[in-house]
Amino acid sequence: MIRHNGASKKHKKYLTEKGEIMNNSSRKIEELIEKIAVFTENNGTGFTRFSYTDMDIEARRLIIEEMTTLNLDVYMDYLGNIFGRREGKNKAAPAILIGSHLDTVKDGGKYDGVAGVIAGIEVVRLLTEKNIETENPIEVIAFAEEEGGRFHSAFVGSNWIAGNIKDEDLSKYLDDNGVSIEEASKSLDVLNPIVKRCRRREINAKAMFELHCEQGTVLENEKISLGIVSSITGSSSFRVTLKGMANHAGTIPMNLRRDAFYGASLISVELNRYVKTFETHSVGTIGNICVKPNAYNIIPGEVSFSMDIRSLDENNMFSIINHMKTYIEKIALENKLDFEIKENHLEYPVKMSKELIDALVDNARNKSYSYKVMGSGAGHDTIVMNEICDTVMVFVPSKDGRSHCKEEYSSPRHIAMGCDIIMDTIIKI
Ligand code: HGY
Ligand code: MN
Ligand code: MN
């Protein structure tokens, strides 16, 4: 009986301790989220922090300072990927990476990306607080230019780390003012006094963890605390430009027009129709469109638009891409339009590491956290890092499933729970 009491007293102490750790973690996480959220273009309609802007620089400064306070060795490469390194017993062992991105979409939320960077910092803080020395070094990474908000191509920072983007490619990434990423990233030099700079960093990695808001409704609807990601959808994005002839909207008969917007609208309808014919999660989106001259009484002479095509099934993704390329050519011909299709990025669907998934599942069970093994419809830097090491992601619920908007919210407590099982898994592997 006493043993039982002893056990329940010990268990109670553990629960209180765990409670305190969780409260402390939640509070630290919330504080950091709010501190970073301040660094946004002040337009009131959501959070906008594009790469290499003043707001981005200030958010980076804060992350570098947080990492330095934790006695991490802090590096930043040419494109602004930030690495906070905590040595392990075996300095030469491959590192365990934890991170996500610091940039946002236009008018986005304050959790997408940032929650994962903060989770990395929190896991390291907890290990230090508990005096746990890991076998392998740990590196917290804040990836640069994941969203493509400024340079219109996703996963640029992680592709730079993975070596997929060459030095000579940098001049090809242009923002809307024609400034290249090579030029723009020079503004990072203002941070040189507080961080070790390098052009690229050789990464010797064993595994990568990315905590991220789910950006969907599954976890919240099923009242589950954590998602353990088993696969990430393949994603591709293109810029399509149609050129017809600007002319008077009143005088030109319909059969003589070369209306670029009419062509674009036919393409949008076909993209939606064709994608819906696929069973496996496949999506097609035209999210950005530029009409010229964009006047009510002029037939649009030129239209350029984004075309985002994704699928959890690689063959589906390529069927949709090829179908749309053929269809765009057909519409251009029928409407006497010139057309150009530029590929911005293309990533194949990836499967996460079974060993890491199983370890996270075990640890969620040990802590009696509800969890669900699930796929990711959104793209993440993990899809690229999967080329250089084993990877896995942990999702936290998104309130009302909202993301890429100011309503985006995930609870610090769920983020703390995610940190908890990531830390347990790091210790285990
Ligand atoms: O587009 C995406 O899926 C991610 O937010 N970059
Ligand atoms: Mn995003
Ligand atoms: Mn993201």
Side-chain angles (χ1 to χ4, degrees):
M1 201 37 198
I2 292 165
R3 202 168 48 73
H4 174 68
N5 281 342
S8 69
K9 240 193 237 140
K10 200 163 146 259
H11 187 60
K12 260 202 207 107
K13 184 172 166 302
Y14 162 74
L15 283 178
T16 338
E17 229 181 64
K18 187 181 104 175
E20 267 151 40
I21 292 174
M22 290 306 285
N23 293 339
N24 196 16
S25 262
S26 308
R27 201 178 45 256
K28 290 250 178 228
I29 288 162
E30 187 159 31
E31 267 166 28
L32 250 182
I33 293 241
E34 293 311 322
K35 274 187 188 170
I36 294 193
V38 161
F39 302 121
T40 170
E41 304 306 330
N42 194 3
N43 51 18
T45 52
F47 296 85
T48 303
R49 186 171 48 251
F50 281 174
S51 297
Y52 319 124
T53 57
D54 293 348
M55 293 294 112
D56 180 41
I57 300 275
E58 290 318 307
R60 291 164 175 287
R61 189 187 303 280
L62 185 82
I63 292 295
I64 292 167
E65 282 162 3
E66 286 292 327
M67 290 179 168
T68 310
T69 314
L70 284 170
N71 297 320
L72 303 186
D73 247 354
V74 194
Y75 304 85
M76 184 163 74
D77 69 15
Y78 187 73
L79 286 193
N81 293 302
I82 301 172
F83 308 81
R85 183 178 173 91
R86 181 181 196 255
E87 277 311 341
K89 284 180 202 139
N90 178 354
K91 284 190 176 7
I96 294 178
L97 313 177
I98 325 172
S100 193
H101 57 93
L102 260 188
D103 61 315
T104 70
V105 290
K106 187 169 172 303
D107 299 343
K110 56 182 174 180
Y111 295 84
D112 178 355
V114 170
V117 177
I118 290 172
I121 290 172
E122 182 55 14
V123 167
V124 165
R125 192 191 65 76
L126 284 166
L127 288 169
T128 308
E129 190 179 72
K130 295 163 176 271
N131 244 332
I132 295 170
E133 203 194 354
T134 52
E135 182 64 24
N136 299 63
I138 294 178
E139 295 212 7
V140 181
I141 304 185
F143 290 95
E145 191 60 5
E146 186 272 351
E147 295 285 9
R150 180 172 175 183
F151 298 94
H152 311 303
S153 182
F155 321 124
V156 174
S158 41
N159 271 303
W160 177 256
I161 292 174
N164 298 330
I165 294 179
K166 304 288 174 254
D167 289 51
E168 55 274 16
D169 298 334
L170 293 183
S171 54
K172 292 178 205 148
Y173 293 88
L174 303 175
D175 70 6
D176 293 342
N177 303 318
V179 178
S180 76
I181 201 166
E182 178 149 39
E183 264 317 294
S185 53
K186 289 191 167 66
S187 64
L188 295 174
D189 291 349
V190 69
L191 295 170
N192 290 354
I194 61 168
V195 69
K196 291 184 194 112
R197 291 302 303 273
C198 53
R199 189 152 181 88
R200 286 181 199 268
R201 269 196 85 219
E202 285 310 311
I203 290 271
N204 172 21
K206 173 187 172 81
M208 178 172 140
F209 296 83
E210 180 171 8
L211 182 141
H212 205 286
C213 47
E214 180 206 335
Q215 302 179 302
T217 55
V218 172
L219 295 176
E220 186 178 64
N221 287 352
E222 297 182 28
K223 295 191 181 17
I224 292 174
S225 300
L226 297 172
I228 296 171
V229 177
S230 52
S231 59
I232 303 179
T233 179
S235 67
S236 63
S237 93
F238 303 85
R239 191 82 196 166
V240 181
T241 303
L242 301 173
K243 284 187 180 158
M245 184 187 286
N247 217 322
H248 195 293
T251 54
I252 309 299
M254 296 307 276
N255 64 330
L256 297 182
R257 295 183 176 206
R258 295 175 58 201
D259 182 337
F261 182 74
Y262 174 62
S265 42
L266 291 172
I267 290 162
S268 169
V269 168
E270 177 61 10
L271 176 65
N272 276 266
R273 183 199 68 78
Y274 190 68
V275 167
K276 285 173 190 157
T277 63
F278 289 84
E279 295 290 307
T280 324
H281 179 78
S282 305
V283 289
T285 315
I286 293 180
N288 172 295
I289 185 158
C290 171
V291 182
K292 288 180 185 166
N294 204 20
Y296 82 95
N297 55 1
I298 307 174
I299 301 165
E302 180 179 325
V303 169
S304 80
F305 56 90
S306 62
M307 185 167 71
D308 178 297
I309 294 170
R310 312 184 192 203
S311 178
L312 273 176
D313 176 296
E314 186 173 309
N315 297 325
N316 289 2
M317 185 166 84
F318 285 102
S319 308
I320 299 163
I321 292 172
N322 296 331
H323 174 84
M324 289 313 298
K325 282 182 174 174
T326 311
Y327 187 80
I328 289 167
E329 189 170 358
K330 173 177 168 298
I331 292 301
L333 213 59
E334 288 169 0
N335 293 278
K336 296 187 267 327
L337 302 173
D338 300 325
F339 73 98
E340 183 201 39
I341 303 173
K342 178 176 169 289
E343 180 183 297
N344 279 338
H345 80 260
L346 189 145
E347 298 295 346
Y348 290 72
V350 289
K351 296 236 176 295
M352 303 287 90
S353 149
K354 187 161 174 349
E355 183 208 356
L356 295 178
I357 292 168
D358 293 347
L360 284 168
V361 164
D362 285 351
N363 289 317
R365 280 197 188 128
N366 294 344
K367 295 282 174 76
S368 327
Y369 295 156
S370 57
Y371 69 90
K372 178 186 183 75
V373 177
M374 60 194 286
S376 168
H380 302 284
D381 288 308
T382 296
I383 208 169
V384 176
M385 298 304 281
N386 193 60
E387 293 171 25
I388 60 176
C389 64
D390 284 348
T391 58
V392 73
M393 292 187 75
V394 173
F395 275 171
V396 290
S398 290
K399 187 171 176 313
D400 306 328
R402 301 292 303 275
S403 181
H404 281 189
C405 57
K406 71 176 183 309
E407 293 78 10
E408 186 180 88
Y409 175 80
S410 289
S411 80
R413 186 159 189 77
H414 281 139
I415 298 170
M417 291 161 84
C419 293
D420 202 10
I421 65 166
I422 290 174
M423 183 179 68
D424 292 347
T425 305
I426 287 176
I427 294 166
K428 190 182 250 180
I429 63 172

